[in-house]
Amino acid sequence: MIIAPQWIGDAVMTEPLLRRLSARGERLTVGALPWVAPVYRAMPQVAEVIEFPFAHGGLQFKARRSLAKQLEDRFDIAYVCPNSLKSALLPFLASIPKRVGYLGEARVGLLTHRLKNPPKERRPPMVAFYSALSGEADVAADRPQLQLDPAEVDRALATMGLRRRGYYVFAPGAEYGPAKRWPAAHFAELARRLDLPVVLLGSSKEFELCHEIAAPVNAEQAGKCLNFAGKTSLAHAFSAITATKSIVSNDSGLMHVAAAFGVPQIALFGSSSPLHTPPLNDQATVLWLKNNASYQPPLDCAPCFARVCPLGHTRCLVDISAADVLQNI
């Protein structure tokens, strides 16, 4: 059993771990929260996905104990991807004999095989961090890969009124906070200058952000932007990403999804670092002013990893222009 992370991007980054486990003959069941489960359904090596009935926050001990009783005697090994106490609790309560995970949150007694958590300043990229749970070496070059049935993609595109390579995708959200989001006005300016329609993807929380981008563009060019934020399933969003001409996104979960599907992409980094969570994709272009020697004055403040710019200017993203992105598409 794999205990999945709770964020889409992190879930994508566990795929090489699962590929390694499957290659040595392990039958894989993934336990995941509902909004993450579609990621694992795009991994052919996963035999079963169990959607956890848990909500964000809280231990929810009774619910975990109830589910654990149903899972008893089904698994030989559990790999616990998150570092939290509650994520290690279910395998312990289900009496899974071997429980593998990183040390953290006082869960020594819940795990039978414990990896030391490297210090933040020496933590490897997240893909390698997860792959190390396999106990295998040489994980530094691991790259996530997702796959969808082409017929499933065609059905989803038909439902959304899209044709393959006939549109661009924008993913303007970033759950972590505004210091990771390229300005809506910049996205709108880029949409105006592109030669194909733009599909806007995100959660229901990002509908207003996507509307802020789409409304002024559609007022000038009717139908140029299609706002699907919160209006389509994550599985349909994945289909739209696999068939796009190119995607422009912040450092977000959908950035990692696009990378795992190997589509052309522009990834915009501000407060975070592509050295830690890069899009592992030969067709990815990363724009990060921190490593642009011609950008002055230098961004000594980046990466700050803050949710909101501590200095109040968010120069790291504001100063990436629509023209900068356009010339890289």
Side-chain angles (χ1 to χ4, degrees):
M1 170 162 242
I2 316 296
I3 304 297
Q6 64 177 346
W7 303 110
I8 290 171
D10 284 79
V12 172
M13 289 186 280
T14 66
E15 189 277 335
L17 165 65
L18 274 62
R19 204 172 346 125
R20 285 175 175 274
L21 301 179
S22 178
R24 65 195 195 197
E26 299 187 28
R27 183 186 185 277
L28 306 181
T29 293
V30 175
L33 294 167
W35 56 88
V36 170
V39 175
Y40 292 98
R41 295 190 177 104
M43 299 182 190
Q45 65 269 42
V46 175
E48 180 186 10
V49 177
I50 298 174
E51 293 194 14
F52 287 161
F54 310 136
H56 268 309
L59 198 57
Q60 300 164 81
F61 184 83
K62 288 181 67 176
R64 292 179 196 276
R65 184 174 60 184
S66 175
L67 180 58
K69 286 183 178 179
Q70 300 173 41
L71 300 179
E72 283 182 356
D73 302 321
R74 283 196 56 191
F75 302 100
D76 302 304
I77 308 174
Y79 298 92
V80 183
C81 294
N83 275 345
S84 64
L85 174 71
K86 62 184 178 183
S87 62
L89 192 57
L90 183 69
F92 173 78
L93 294 172
S95 301
I96 299 175
K98 183 177 178 181
R99 304 181 296 277
V100 183
Y102 282 97
L103 283 169
E105 277 203 10
R107 59 188 198 167
V108 172
L110 301 181
L111 300 171
T112 61
H113 292 67
R114 300 174 290 273
L115 282 70
K116 288 185 178 179
N117 230 318
K120 284 187 177 180
E121 63 273 12
R122 289 192 281 115
R123 181 173 288 188
M126 286 304 294
V127 171
F129 179 78
Y130 288 129
S131 289
L133 290 171
S134 67
E136 299 175 3
D138 303 322
V139 298
D142 280 5
R143 288 186 165 202
Q145 300 171 12
L146 297 178
Q147 299 177 37
L148 290 179
D149 179 347
E152 179 184 334
V153 173
D154 287 339
R155 287 192 293 272
L157 294 180
T159 300
M160 300 172 77
L162 304 174
R163 59 180 180 82
R164 288 179 181 269
R165 310 291 176 261
Y167 56 91
Y168 293 96
V169 166
F170 287 178
E175 184 76 20
Y176 187 71
K180 290 180 72 173
R181 296 182 198 135
W182 199 44
H186 289 20
F187 272 110
E189 178 58 27
L190 179 61
R192 290 185 184 96
R193 299 173 68 171
L194 291 172
D195 58 349
L196 291 171
V198 171
V199 170
L200 293 154
L201 296 177
S203 69
S204 57
K205 296 177 185 175
E206 291 152 351
F207 176 82
E208 289 303 325
L209 170 62
C210 291
H211 179 73
E212 185 181 347
I213 295 166
V217 179
N218 287 339
E220 301 166 12
Q221 305 173 54
K224 182 69 179 289
C225 289
L226 306 172
N227 184 0
F228 283 103
K231 294 182 176 180
T232 191
S233 67
L234 188 58
H236 277 198
F238 284 6
S239 291
I241 289 171
T242 67
T244 186
K245 186 171 182 181
S246 184
I247 178 173
V248 180
S249 76
N250 302 310
D251 173 19
S252 66
L254 292 185
M255 178 196 77
H256 292 291
V257 169
F261 282 126
V263 302
Q265 66 181 135
I266 308 293
L268 306 167
F269 278 76
S271 64
S272 57
S273 169
L275 303 178
H276 183 52
T277 54
L280 296 172
N281 176 13
D282 290 338
Q283 297 204 71
T285 297
V286 171
L287 297 184
W288 193 38
L289 292 178
K290 172 70 174 182
N291 62 5
N292 183 343
S294 66
Y295 178 74
Q296 296 296 325
L299 278 170
D300 296 331
C301 54
C304 68
F305 297 106
R307 293 178 183 272
V308 178
C309 177
L311 303 177
H313 53 60
T314 322
R315 268 202 303 136
C316 56
L317 287 168
V318 170
D319 287 353
I320 300 174
S321 70
D324 293 332
V325 177
L326 186 64
Q327 71 180 14
N328 282 283
I329 290 180

